[in-house]
PDB file of all heavy atoms in Angstrom:
ATOM      1  N   VAL A   1     101.677 103.237  78.947  1.00  0.00           N
ATOM      2  CA  VAL A   1     102.204 101.935  79.356  1.00  0.00           C
ATOM      3  C   VAL A   1     102.714 102.042  80.787  1.00  0.00           C
ATOM      4  O   VAL A   1     103.604 102.838  81.082  1.00  0.00           O
ATOM      5  CB  VAL A   1     103.336 101.469  78.417  1.00  0.00           C
ATOM      6  CG1 VAL A   1     103.925 100.147  78.914  1.00  0.00           C
ATOM      7  CG2 VAL A   1     102.825 101.337  76.994  1.00  0.00           C
ATOM      8  N   LEU A   2     102.119 101.275  81.672  1.00  0.00           N
ATOM      9  CA  LEU A   2     102.538 101.197  83.076  1.00  0.00           C
ATOM     10  C   LEU A   2     103.101  99.794  83.286  1.00  0.00           C
ATOM     11  O   LEU A   2     102.357  98.821  83.264  1.00  0.00           O
ATOM     12  CB  LEU A   2     101.352 101.447  84.017  1.00  0.00           C
ATOM     13  CG  LEU A   2     100.651 102.799  83.837  1.00  0.00           C
ATOM     14  CD1 LEU A   2      99.363 102.833  84.652  1.00  0.00           C
ATOM     15  CD2 LEU A   2     101.550 103.939  84.244  1.00  0.00           C
ATOM     16  N   ARG A   3     104.406  99.693  83.485  1.00  0.00           N
ATOM     17  CA  ARG A   3     105.037  98.380  83.453  1.00  0.00           C
ATOM     18  C   ARG A   3     105.946  98.151  84.651  1.00  0.00           C
ATOM     19  O   ARG A   3     106.244  99.066  85.420  1.00  0.00           O
ATOM     20  CB  ARG A   3     105.859  98.240  82.167  1.00  0.00           C
ATOM     21  CG  ARG A   3     107.092  99.136  82.154  1.00  0.00           C
ATOM     22  CD  ARG A   3     107.903  98.956  80.899  1.00  0.00           C
ATOM     23  NE  ARG A   3     109.086  99.799  80.918  1.00  0.00           N
ATOM     24  CZ  ARG A   3     109.873 100.026  79.873  1.00  0.00           C
ATOM     25  NH1 ARG A   3     109.584  99.479  78.706  1.00  0.00           N
ATOM     26  NH2 ARG A   3     110.938 100.796  79.990  1.00  0.00           N
ATOM     27  N   GLY A   4     106.383  96.874  84.767  1.00  0.00           N
ATOM     28  CA  GLY A   4     107.233  96.498  85.897  1.00  0.00           C
ATOM     29  C   GLY A   4     106.456  96.442  87.191  1.00  0.00           C
ATOM     30  O   GLY A   4     107.034  96.437  88.269  1.00  0.00           O
ATOM     31  N   MET A   5     105.114  96.360  87.090  1.00  0.00           N
ATOM     32  CA  MET A   5     104.240  96.512  88.242  1.00  0.00           C
ATOM     33  C   MET A   5     103.462  95.236  88.556  1.00  0.00           C
ATOM     34  O   MET A   5     102.489  95.259  89.295  1.00  0.00           O
ATOM     35  CB  MET A   5     103.277  97.683  87.997  1.00  0.00           C
ATOM     36  CG  MET A   5     104.009  99.008  87.836  1.00  0.00           C
ATOM     37  SD  MET A   5     103.047 100.327  87.029  1.00  0.00           S
ATOM     38  CE  MET A   5     101.631 100.448  88.107  1.00  0.00           C
ATOM     39  N   GLY A   6     103.888  94.103  87.974  1.00  0.00           N
ATOM     40  CA  GLY A   6     103.225  92.835  88.228  1.00  0.00           C
ATOM     41  C   GLY A   6     103.635  92.230  89.556  1.00  0.00           C
ATOM     42  O   GLY A   6     104.377  92.836  90.331  1.00  0.00           O
ATOM     43  N   PRO A   7     103.164  91.006  89.836  1.00  0.00           N
ATOM     44  CA  PRO A   7     103.458  90.372  91.131  1.00  0.00           C
ATOM     45  C   PRO A   7     104.947  90.287  91.440  1.00  0.00           C
ATOM     46  O   PRO A   7     105.364  90.512  92.576  1.00  0.00           O
ATOM     47  CB  PRO A   7     102.840  88.983  90.983  1.00  0.00           C
ATOM     48  CG  PRO A   7     101.755  89.158  89.976  1.00  0.00           C
ATOM     49  CD  PRO A   7     102.262  90.180  89.015  1.00  0.00           C
ATOM     50  N   ARG A   8     105.761  89.970  90.440  1.00  0.00           N
ATOM     51  CA  ARG A   8     107.199  89.884  90.680  1.00  0.00           C
ATOM     52  C   ARG A   8     107.867  91.251  90.617  1.00  0.00           C
ATOM     53  O   ARG A   8     108.827  91.532  91.329  1.00  0.00           O
ATOM     54  CB  ARG A   8     107.845  88.955  89.652  1.00  0.00           C
ATOM     55  CG  ARG A   8     107.461  87.491  89.840  1.00  0.00           C
ATOM     56  CD  ARG A   8     108.139  86.610  88.811  1.00  0.00           C
ATOM     57  NE  ARG A   8     107.886  85.201  89.074  1.00  0.00           N
ATOM     58  CZ  ARG A   8     108.285  84.217  88.288  1.00  0.00           C
ATOM     59  NH1 ARG A   8     108.964  84.483  87.183  1.00  0.00           N
ATOM     60  NH2 ARG A   8     108.012  82.966  88.586  1.00  0.00           N
ATOM     61  N   GLY A   9     107.380  92.103  89.744  1.00  0.00           N
ATOM     62  CA  GLY A   9     108.039  93.389  89.529  1.00  0.00           C
ATOM     63  C   GLY A   9     107.820  94.397  90.613  1.00  0.00           C
ATOM     64  O   GLY A   9     108.650  95.291  90.810  1.00  0.00           O
ATOM     65  N   GLY A  10     106.693  94.293  91.327  1.00  0.00           N
ATOM     66  CA  GLY A  10     106.390  95.279  92.367  1.00  0.00           C
ATOM     67  C   GLY A  10     107.419  95.356  93.471  1.00  0.00           C
ATOM     68  O   GLY A  10     107.962  96.423  93.726  1.00  0.00           O
ATOM     69  N   PRO A  11     107.734  94.253  94.178  1.00  0.00           N
ATOM     70  CA  PRO A  11     106.956  93.011  94.151  1.00  0.00           C
ATOM     71  C   PRO A  11     105.609  93.210  94.851  1.00  0.00           C
ATOM     72  O   PRO A  11     105.469  94.111  95.678  1.00  0.00           O
ATOM     73  CB  PRO A  11     107.836  92.043  94.933  1.00  0.00           C
ATOM     74  CG  PRO A  11     108.563  92.903  95.905  1.00  0.00           C
ATOM     75  CD  PRO A  11     108.803  94.205  95.192  1.00  0.00           C
ATOM     76  N   GLY A  12     104.675  92.348  94.537  1.00  0.00           N
ATOM     77  CA  GLY A  12     103.308  92.615  94.919  1.00  0.00           C
ATOM     78  C   GLY A  12     102.747  93.548  93.862  1.00  0.00           C
ATOM     79  O   GLY A  12     103.360  94.570  93.533  1.00  0.00           O
ATOM     80  N   THR A  13     101.648  93.206  93.252  1.00  0.00           N
ATOM     81  CA  THR A  13     101.158  93.968  92.113  1.00  0.00           C
ATOM     82  C   THR A  13     100.894  95.418  92.503  1.00  0.00           C
ATOM     83  O   THR A  13     100.177  95.698  93.452  1.00  0.00           O
ATOM     84  CB  THR A  13      99.868  93.336  91.572  1.00  0.00           C
ATOM     85  OG1 THR A  13     100.043  91.924  91.514  1.00  0.00           O
ATOM     86  CG2 THR A  13      99.548  93.845  90.199  1.00  0.00           C
ATOM     87  N   VAL A  14     101.481  96.358  91.731  1.00  0.00           N
ATOM     88  CA  VAL A  14     101.390  97.789  92.029  1.00  0.00           C
ATOM     89  C   VAL A  14     100.167  98.370  91.332  1.00  0.00           C
ATOM     90  O   VAL A  14      99.848  98.027  90.197  1.00  0.00           O
ATOM     91  CB  VAL A  14     102.665  98.516  91.557  1.00  0.00           C
ATOM     92  CG1 VAL A  14     102.629  99.985  91.978  1.00  0.00           C
ATOM     93  CG2 VAL A  14     103.906  97.830  92.128  1.00  0.00           C
ATOM     94  N   PHE A  15      99.489  99.282  92.001  1.00  0.00           N
ATOM     95  CA  PHE A  15      98.264  99.873  91.476  1.00  0.00           C
ATOM     96  C   PHE A  15      98.503 100.614  90.168  1.00  0.00           C
ATOM     97  O   PHE A  15      99.380 101.475  90.067  1.00  0.00           O
ATOM     98  CB  PHE A  15      97.695 100.848  92.502  1.00  0.00           C
ATOM     99  CG  PHE A  15      96.321 100.479  92.992  1.00  0.00           C
ATOM    100  CD1 PHE A  15      95.860  99.181  92.933  1.00  0.00           C
ATOM    101  CD2 PHE A  15      95.479 101.447  93.529  1.00  0.00           C
ATOM    102  CE1 PHE A  15      94.595  98.836  93.396  1.00  0.00           C
ATOM    103  CE2 PHE A  15      94.223 101.117  94.000  1.00  0.00           C
ATOM    104  CZ  PHE A  15      93.779  99.821  93.930  1.00  0.00           C
ATOM    105  N   ALA A  16      97.718 100.266  89.156  1.00  0.00           N
ATOM    106  CA  ALA A  16      97.566 101.083  87.954  1.00  0.00           C
ATOM    107  C   ALA A  16      96.139 101.607  87.873  1.00  0.00           C
ATOM    108  O   ALA A  16      95.819 102.448  87.048  1.00  0.00           O
ATOM    109  CB  ALA A  16      97.887 100.262  86.712  1.00  0.00           C
ATOM    110  N   ALA A  17      95.290 101.096  88.776  1.00  0.00           N
ATOM    111  CA  ALA A  17      93.857 101.371  88.714  1.00  0.00           C
ATOM    112  C   ALA A  17      93.523 102.832  88.965  1.00  0.00           C
ATOM    113  O   ALA A  17      92.615 103.386  88.335  1.00  0.00           O
ATOM    114  CB  ALA A  17      93.123 100.491  89.726  1.00  0.00           C
ATOM    115  N   SER A  18      94.239 103.471  89.875  1.00  0.00           N
ATOM    116  CA  SER A  18      93.919 104.860  90.197  1.00  0.00           C
ATOM    117  C   SER A  18      94.212 105.777  89.022  1.00  0.00           C
ATOM    118  O   SER A  18      93.509 106.771  88.794  1.00  0.00           O
ATOM    119  CB  SER A  18      94.700 105.315  91.428  1.00  0.00           C
ATOM    120  OG  SER A  18      94.329 104.560  92.553  1.00  0.00           O
ATOM    121  N   PHE A  19      95.263 105.466  88.264  1.00  0.00           N
ATOM    122  CA  PHE A  19      95.549 106.272  87.078  1.00  0.00           C
ATOM    123  C   PHE A  19      94.424 106.132  86.060  1.00  0.00           C
ATOM    124  O   PHE A  19      93.994 107.131  85.455  1.00  0.00           O
ATOM    125  CB  PHE A  19      96.875 105.863  86.435  1.00  0.00           C
ATOM    126  CG  PHE A  19      97.067 106.499  85.087  1.00  0.00           C
ATOM    127  CD1 PHE A  19      97.355 107.847  84.987  1.00  0.00           C
ATOM    128  CD2 PHE A  19      96.899 105.760  83.918  1.00  0.00           C
ATOM    129  CE1 PHE A  19      97.485 108.455  83.736  1.00  0.00           C
ATOM    130  CE2 PHE A  19      97.031 106.351  82.684  1.00  0.00           C
ATOM    131  CZ  PHE A  19      97.323 107.705  82.585  1.00  0.00           C
ATOM    132  N   VAL A  20      93.945 104.911  85.840  1.00  0.00           N
ATOM    133  CA  VAL A  20      92.863 104.710  84.875  1.00  0.00           C
ATOM    134  C   VAL A  20      91.624 105.489  85.310  1.00  0.00           C
ATOM    135  O   VAL A  20      90.960 106.139  84.490  1.00  0.00           O
ATOM    136  CB  VAL A  20      92.539 103.215  84.716  1.00  0.00           C
ATOM    137  CG1 VAL A  20      91.362 103.015  83.762  1.00  0.00           C
ATOM    138  CG2 VAL A  20      93.758 102.454  84.207  1.00  0.00           C
ATOM    139  N   ALA A  21      91.314 105.447  86.604  1.00  0.00           N
ATOM    140  CA  ALA A  21      90.165 106.197  87.116  1.00  0.00           C
ATOM    141  C   ALA A  21      90.376 107.699  86.928  1.00  0.00           C
ATOM    142  O   ALA A  21      89.455 108.432  86.532  1.00  0.00           O
ATOM    143  CB  ALA A  21      89.944 105.867  88.592  1.00  0.00           C
ATOM    144  N   ALA A  22      91.610 108.171  87.213  1.00  0.00           N
ATOM    145  CA  ALA A  22      91.911 109.592  87.055  1.00  0.00           C
ATOM    146  C   ALA A  22      91.807 110.017  85.590  1.00  0.00           C
ATOM    147  O   ALA A  22      91.344 111.117  85.270  1.00  0.00           O
ATOM    148  CB  ALA A  22      93.303 109.890  87.599  1.00  0.00           C
ATOM    149  N   LEU A  23      92.235 109.137  84.697  1.00  0.00           N
ATOM    150  CA  LEU A  23      92.157 109.408  83.264  1.00  0.00           C
ATOM    151  C   LEU A  23      90.703 109.609  82.840  1.00  0.00           C
ATOM    152  O   LEU A  23      90.375 110.556  82.112  1.00  0.00           O
ATOM    153  CB  LEU A  23      92.778 108.237  82.508  1.00  0.00           C
ATOM    154  CG  LEU A  23      93.082 108.412  81.014  1.00  0.00           C
ATOM    155  CD1 LEU A  23      94.229 109.398  80.829  1.00  0.00           C
ATOM    156  CD2 LEU A  23      93.443 107.067  80.406  1.00  0.00           C
ATOM    157  N   ASN A  24      89.821 108.744  83.315  1.00  0.00           N
ATOM    158  CA  ASN A  24      88.407 108.886  82.997  1.00  0.00           C
ATOM    159  C   ASN A  24      87.822 110.139  83.633  1.00  0.00           C
ATOM    160  O   ASN A  24      87.030 110.848  83.017  1.00  0.00           O
ATOM    161  CB  ASN A  24      87.636 107.645  83.455  1.00  0.00           C
ATOM    162  CG  ASN A  24      87.914 106.432  82.585  1.00  0.00           C
ATOM    163  OD1 ASN A  24      87.987 106.539  81.373  1.00  0.00           O
ATOM    164  ND2 ASN A  24      88.072 105.272  83.202  1.00  0.00           N
ATOM    165  N   GLY A  25      88.248 110.417  84.876  1.00  0.00           N
ATOM    166  CA  GLY A  25      87.761 111.618  85.541  1.00  0.00           C
ATOM    167  C   GLY A  25      88.198 112.884  84.854  1.00  0.00           C
ATOM    168  O   GLY A  25      87.507 113.909  84.909  1.00  0.00           O
ATOM    169  N   ALA A  26      89.348 112.843  84.183  1.00  0.00           N
ATOM    170  CA  ALA A  26      89.855 114.005  83.461  1.00  0.00           C
ATOM    171  C   ALA A  26      89.256 114.132  82.068  1.00  0.00           C
ATOM    172  O   ALA A  26      89.587 115.070  81.329  1.00  0.00           O
ATOM    173  CB  ALA A  26      91.376 113.924  83.360  1.00  0.00           C
ATOM    174  N   GLY A  27      88.387 113.187  81.697  1.00  0.00           N
ATOM    175  CA  GLY A  27      87.725 113.260  80.402  1.00  0.00           C
ATOM    176  C   GLY A  27      88.527 112.718  79.244  1.00  0.00           C
ATOM    177  O   GLY A  27      88.161 112.916  78.078  1.00  0.00           O
ATOM    178  N   LEU A  28      89.616 111.987  79.525  1.00  0.00           N
ATOM    179  CA  LEU A  28      90.451 111.443  78.455  1.00  0.00           C
ATOM    180  C   LEU A  28      90.268 109.940  78.252  1.00  0.00           C
ATOM    181  O   LEU A  28      90.940 109.343  77.407  1.00  0.00           O
ATOM    182  CB  LEU A  28      91.933 111.725  78.756  1.00  0.00           C
ATOM    183  CG  LEU A  28      92.413 113.149  78.480  1.00  0.00           C
ATOM    184  CD1 LEU A  28      93.831 113.333  79.007  1.00  0.00           C
ATOM    185  CD2 LEU A  28      92.349 113.468  76.995  1.00  0.00           C
TER     186      LEU A  28
END
């Protein structure tokens, strides 16, 4: 769970995309 990273919480939406890519790259 990656949270508090939306438009208001960042503020400005914070990247969760690189973690998802890293997760796939790590085979998980």
Side-chain angles (χ1 to χ4, degrees):
V1 177
L2 302 170
R3 69 179 181 192
M5 298 161 58
R8 291 181 174 176
T13 316
V14 185
F15 241 23
S18 297
F19 170 73
V20 177
L23 193 69
N24 288 319
L28 283 172

